[in-house]
């Protein structure tokens, strides 16, 4: 036994002695005042309190609770006759309990009354089953009514009743080892009844209201006890308390079914009035005082756990009104000082108002008699309210602030809602020191996005008011930013979206003191400097951490000023090398900066002078402002394009949804449509606009099947017309205007334009096909607009026209093609006069693969007539000279395919002459006739183009483009050669032209001089397989002369390929010398590539060239190269030619 228990034991033994010749087990109520002082003195000593009724500390509360529990269990043990052997093992209170003398219920109840332990007694009482609660209440009422009855008895009863109502939501700390838990377990053990709480369950017993016996109805016991005690209540304060408690019990038990949620502001006013009244009665504002007022307020508006089983509303109301009438007639309900009412009077006034309001809203009683009775009782209550009438208590703003601050500081009930109220009450912000001190010390209480928005609104009003305190504003802004920084990313985004709804410029929407602005500018610059400097050399492991830090920094400054922050993001993304990816990742983490949802806004929503209206157009507006201030370099344009491309890409959110920071239609409407329609005054050039449109079209947008394509929000048909106009202008890209200005159209731009036009045409075609009648008007409008443009433009929009219109081509095309009249019609175009049919035919071949197939299959040419073939070949050469300069790379590739097909089918006659050799090579060149003829054809076309009659057609850019196209054709020829003679893979031995087991098989030779030029990869077969094939061929009557040549020696066509490469090199050098300028870099690179491949073949097939032949080749190539004008190019080529040394033994 510890010291404190020994003190209590001694006190109880002394009290027991003072009872002699009786004992504490038979003590009467009147005897407690004589024998109880040793016990109370011991309690005061243990608790460290001079007055047991004072505010308890944690030690006092523990010992008071333990003492009540021990005495109560002592009584239960005696009543149940518990065995000592069992008790010392299972009862944790046994040491102290067994040390006390026997007691009775008088000792227990008088001890509770003397220690002001009604709250403790109520907590323990609620641990019991319902029947035991009622039994204990009956015992308590009998004890109170016994003589002598004092006001302390009444006060104990009232406090206990109110605590029973207030304690329903209380939870005692300590878990399974708490005193309430141990008390409950011991009660269950002693009575062999289920306890009202278990170690895993809640600590409160849930009453069974099914019983109808009066002695199990808590309400019946309480109301009748009050009725019996009315003659013994003789003070105004007790009368007011009794009426207030009885009315609240009636209200919560009969008149409400669910808790009444009061607005936070109303709660604050009620609490402030209560605190103000108690302060006038010399009570000091404290957390405990407010907590008690909160519990009173909450209890008065929450349904009671004790539901009536026997008593009815009419009976309860009748008892309350009888009590009110009795005490009013006795003069106990008169308020002596109406200007300074007591707390009990204030509570009673609130209770009467609640009951009267609820009775007015309640339905009419079933019986007429009950209705008459209720009306009479309402009148009595109204009279009571009038008798209590005193001047309306106005809550003091200063008290409001102090009460709210206390609730927030000490995290009292509902402090989050009080924080919202505190944040939005702008009048409180005038109490500078107290208000600011609460904010600084309790930032965690304001860390909800809705609370933060209210606080931000208050800050904005302070910033924009005249005579604002700059120092305090800066301090408040820092506090707000700190609170924002502590939010989760999800709440940050909610707060950012809410801030954008208030102002695009955040706290700086109106004029702000310069000191505040300067401070923010410093923070903004520092944030982005840290991001740019820290994001460049980050290690892979730290990337995610760096990104999180960067997101937090940007979000912090963005909350203060979204527009300035987005402008800095855009500036960094465009002008800081490589920063676009990091900026895009940051913004993708901050979808709150998009504004309200993903609104589809066009450029009409943006006021260029004052900024965007609101929402996600802010980023696009900031980008426009940034690029308007300075012209962009090529690298900056690329970063701008990639930045927007990343922001249009969908990102998976935490909820598993795909969201994008920018919608494709928003980018198109902001940067593409205005710039394409007014290119002269555009901050974004045409090429960049097309790149943006192409990027937007390539974005994978997952939309519901029923929803329209996003491009329909971008004026689809007008956009198609504008792009068609641009394509029309690009067709004559090398022409010079009379004024001397040059169309700045690169072929890359033309290629991009064609890609965009084709993609949009496919989208529009799908739209029209889905609802032809809805789009017929727009379709005919667009088709009619095409009449003023080049005839080829319509073919790029073939998916749009579908089967609605014929294919319109120059009439001259119909003279060289057999095209069905049902699908084709001719146009009389002045630029396509007689003899231009092949030019139109070639232009059609370059437009699309399907159109090329049609042109090849419908070509009118009688191959049996040599004069027709000769005229066709000459005409095609002229047409090729005209068409070549205006082709894009993709168009040129299609045209090359058509030329190969014509050569392979024998329709195009290209005589091959040995211009660069002095003797006839003993080689079989039939397999390479297509490559040789194509190369000669291109040589003839370029000879014609570079001749005196045509050389003035093109400007320098045009000649450079022609050089690129010719280089592209040469590379295609080389690819074909590589396919016909693959080089050995890395690590294999060199190959001899003579077959051997260690060499790859020979590629079979073609039997037809008119061989197709398509690239075919030769399958690798074994030597035995080749022999089997030869044996079959030997017995065949169709065995050709070529087969006999193969029998003589299985040779690889390495010598033939070397010959073709030498001819190709000479053609390239010839053309490079002819072309104006003579320094075409693509042709120079082609020459190097040819020489490299030549060297590789010599190394892979050593016997393909003897030392003498290689020496002659080097000499010949050097002689050809000497004709170049560029000394640098000559030097490099000579160096490369010198490496062509045969490795043959």
């Amino acid at each position: 036994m510890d010291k404190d228990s020994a003190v209590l034991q001694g006190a109880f033994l002394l009290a027991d002695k003072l009872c002699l010749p009786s004992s504490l087990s038979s003590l009467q109520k009147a005897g407690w005042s004589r024998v109880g002082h040793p016990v109370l003195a011991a309690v005061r000593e243990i608790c460290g309190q001079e007055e047991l009724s004072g505010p308890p500390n944690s030690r006092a509360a523990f010992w008071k609770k333990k003492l009540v529990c021990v005495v109560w269990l002592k009584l239960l043990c005696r009543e149940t006759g518990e065995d000592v052997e069992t008790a010392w093992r299972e009862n944790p209170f046994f040491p102290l309990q067994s040390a006390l003398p026997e007691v009775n219920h008088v000792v227990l109840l008088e001890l509770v009354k003397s220690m002001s332990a009604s709250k403790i007694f109520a907590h323990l009482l609620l641990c019991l089953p319902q029947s035991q609660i009622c039994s204990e209440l009956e015992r308590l009422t009998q004890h109170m009514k016994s003589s002598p009855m004092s006001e302390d008895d009444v006060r104990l009863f009232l406090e206990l009743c109110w605590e029973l109502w207030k304690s329903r939501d209380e939870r005692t700390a300590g878990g399974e080892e708490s005193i309430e838990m141990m008390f409950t377990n011991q009660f269950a053990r002693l009575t062999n009844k289920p306890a009202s709480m278990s170690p895993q369950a809640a600590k409160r017993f849930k009453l069974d209201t099914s019983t109808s016996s009066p002695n199990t109805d808590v309400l019946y016991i309480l109301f009748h006890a009050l009725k019996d005690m009315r003659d013994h209540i003789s003070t105004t304060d007790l009368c007011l308390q009794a009426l207030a408690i009885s009315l609240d019990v009636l209200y919560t038990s009969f008149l409400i079914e669910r808790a009444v949620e009061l607005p936070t502001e109303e709660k604050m006013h009620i609490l402030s009035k209560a605190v103000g009244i108690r302060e006038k009665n010399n009570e000091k504002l404290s957390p405990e005082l407010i907590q008690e007022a909160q519990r009173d307020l909450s209890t008065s508006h929450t349904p009671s756990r004790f539901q009536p089983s026997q008593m009815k509303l009419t009976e309860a109301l009748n008892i309350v009104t009888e009590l009110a009438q009795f005490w009013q007639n006795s003069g106990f309900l008169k308020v002596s000082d109406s200007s300074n009412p007591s707390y009990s009077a204030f509570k009673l006034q609130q209770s009467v108002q609640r009951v009267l309001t609820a009775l007015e809203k309640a339905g009419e009683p079933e019986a007429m008699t009950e209705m008459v009775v209720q009306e009479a009782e309402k009148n009595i209550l109204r009279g009571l309210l009038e008798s209590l009438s005193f001047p309306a208590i106005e809550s003091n703003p200063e008290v409001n602030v102090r009460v709210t601050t206390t609730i927030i500081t000490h995290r009292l009930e509902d402090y989050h809602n009080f924080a919202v109220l505190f944040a939005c009450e702008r009048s409180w912000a005038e109490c500078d020191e107290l208000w600011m001190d609460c904010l600084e010390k309790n930032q965690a209480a304001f860390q909800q996005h809705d609370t933060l928005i209210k606080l931000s609104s208050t800050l904005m009003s302070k910033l924009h008011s005249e005579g604002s305190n700059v120092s305090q504003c800066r301090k408040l802004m820092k506090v707000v930013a700190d609170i924002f920084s502590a939010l989760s990313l999800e709440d940050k985004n909610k707060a950012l979206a809410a801030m954008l709804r208030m102002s695009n410029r955040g706290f700086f929407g109106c004029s702000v003191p310069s000191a505040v602005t300067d401070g923010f500018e410093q923070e903004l610059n520092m944030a982005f400097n840290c991001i740019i400097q820290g994001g460049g050399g980050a290690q892979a492991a730290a990337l995610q951490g760096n990104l999180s830090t960067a997101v937090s920094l940007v979000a912090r400054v963005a909350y203060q000023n979204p527009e300035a922050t987005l402008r800095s993001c855009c500036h960094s993304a465009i002008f800081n090398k490589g920063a676009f990816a990091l900026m895009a990742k940051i913004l993708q983490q901050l979808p709150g900066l998009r504004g309200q949802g993903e609104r589809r806004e066009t450029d009409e929503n943006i006021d260029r002078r004052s900024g965007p209206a609101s929402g996600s157009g802010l980023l696009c507006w900031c980008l426009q402002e940034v690029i308007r201030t300075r012209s962009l370099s090529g690298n900056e344009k690329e970063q701008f394009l990639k930045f927007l491309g990343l922001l249009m890409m969908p990102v998976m959110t935490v909820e598993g949804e795909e969201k994008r920071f920018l919608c494709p239609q928003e980018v198109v409407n902001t940067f593409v449509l205005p710039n394409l329609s007014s290119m002269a005054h555009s901050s974004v050039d045409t090429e960049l606009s097309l790149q943006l449109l192409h990027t937007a079209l390539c974005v994978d947008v997952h939309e519901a099947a029923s929803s329209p394509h996003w491009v329909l929000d971008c004026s689809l048909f007008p956009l198609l017309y504008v792009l068609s106009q641009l394509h029309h202008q690009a067709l004559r890209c090398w022409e010079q205007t009379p004024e001397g200005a040059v169309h700045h159209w690169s072929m890359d731009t033309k290629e991009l334009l064609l890609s965009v036009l084709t993609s949009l045409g496919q989208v529009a075609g799908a739209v029209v096909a889905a609802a032809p009648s809805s789009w017929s008007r727009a379709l005919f409008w667009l088709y009619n607009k095409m009449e003023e443009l080049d005839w080829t433009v319509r073919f790029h929009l073939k998916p749009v026209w579908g089967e609605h219109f014929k294919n319109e081509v120059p009439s001259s095309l119909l003279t060289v093609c057999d095209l069905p009249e049902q699908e084709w019609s001719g146009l009389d175009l002045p630029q396509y006069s007689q003899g231009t049919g092949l030019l139109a035919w070639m232009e059609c071949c370059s437009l699309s693969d399907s159109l090329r197939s049609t042109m090849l299959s419908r070509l009118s040419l009688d191959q049996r007539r040599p004069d027709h073939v000769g005229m066709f070949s000459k005409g095609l050469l002229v047409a090729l000279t005209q068409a070549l300069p205006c082709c894009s790379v993709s168009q040129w590739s299609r045209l090359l395919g058509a030329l190969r097909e014509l050569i392979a089918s024998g329709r195009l006659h290209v005589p091959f002459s040995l211009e660069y050799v002095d003797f006839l090579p003993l080689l079989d060149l039939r397999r390479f006739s297509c490559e040789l003829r194509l190369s000669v054809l291109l040589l003839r076309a370029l000879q014609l183009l570079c001749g005196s009659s045509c050389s003035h057609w093109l400007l320098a850019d045009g000649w450079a483009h022609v050089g690129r196209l010719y280089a592209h054709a040469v590379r295609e020829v080389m690819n074909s050669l590589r396919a016909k003679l693959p080089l050995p893979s890395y690590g294999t031995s060199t190959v001899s032209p003579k077959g051997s087991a260690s060499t790859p098989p020979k590629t079979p030779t073609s039997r037809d001089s008119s061989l197709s030029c398509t690239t075919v990869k030769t399958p690798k077969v074994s030597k035995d397989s080749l022999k089997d094939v030869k044996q079959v061929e030997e017995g065949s009557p169709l065995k050709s002369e070529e087969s006999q040549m193969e029998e003589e020696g299985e040779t690889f066509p390495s010598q033939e390929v070397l010959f073709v490469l030498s001819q190709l090199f000479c053609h390239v050098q010839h053309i490079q010398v002819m072309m104006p300028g003579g320094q075409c870099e693509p042709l120079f690179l082609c020459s190097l590539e040819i020489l490299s491949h030549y060297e590789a073949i010599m190394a892979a097939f050593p016997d393909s060239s003897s030392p003498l032949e290689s020496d002659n080749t080097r000499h010949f190539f050097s002689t050809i190269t000497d004709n170049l004008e560029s000394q640098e190019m000559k030097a490099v080529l000579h160096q490369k030619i010198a490496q062509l040394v045969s490795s043959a033994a």
Side-chain angles (χ1 to χ4, degrees), residues 464-519:
H464 304 154
S465 62
E466 295 182 4
S468 57
N469 187 325
V470 174
S471 175
Q472 191 197 41
C473 287
R474 292 184 64 178
K475 186 186 295 185
L476 180 55
M477 187 179 293
K478 182 182 181 304
V479 170
V480 170
D482 289 341
I483 293 172
F484 174 84
S485 298
L487 297 178
S488 66
L489 185 58
E490 181 182 359
D491 283 344
K492 282 179 181 174
N493 280 303
K494 291 179 181 178
L496 287 170
M499 176 58 79
L500 274 178
R501 287 192 289 271
M502 290 195 295
S503 171
N504 285 338
R505 295 176 182 171
F507 301 140
F508 301 90
C510 298
S511 59
V512 173
S514 59
V516 179
T517 305
D518 293 343

Side-chain angles (χ1 to χ4, degrees), residues 693-745:
L693 181 54
H694 182 264
T695 302
L697 289 171
C698 291
V699 171
D700 187 18
V701 179
H702 297 288
E703 293 181 341
S706 58
S707 62
H709 196 283
W710 62 263
V711 81
L712 293 180
D713 293 332
C714 303
S715 307
L716 176 58
F717 284 89
L719 177 58
L720 283 171
Y721 175 58
V722 171
L723 292 174
S724 299
Q725 283 182 308
L726 295 177
H727 180 58
H728 172 76
Q729 297 170 16
L731 289 174
R732 304 292 179 258
C733 53
W734 307 125
E735 292 181 4
Q736 189 170 1
T737 60
E739 294 79 10
V742 179
H743 292 290
H744 296 288
W745 285 98

Side-chain angles (χ1 to χ4, degrees), residues 1032-1051:
V1032 173
E1033 289 177 346
E1034 286 173 359
S1036 172
L1038 301 175
K1039 188 171 91 169
S1040 65
E1041 184 179 338
E1042 180 184 347
S1043 302
Q1044 293 184 15
M1045 293 174 62
E1046 290 180 12
E1047 290 175 15
E1048 295 174 2
E1050 296 178 12
T1051 59

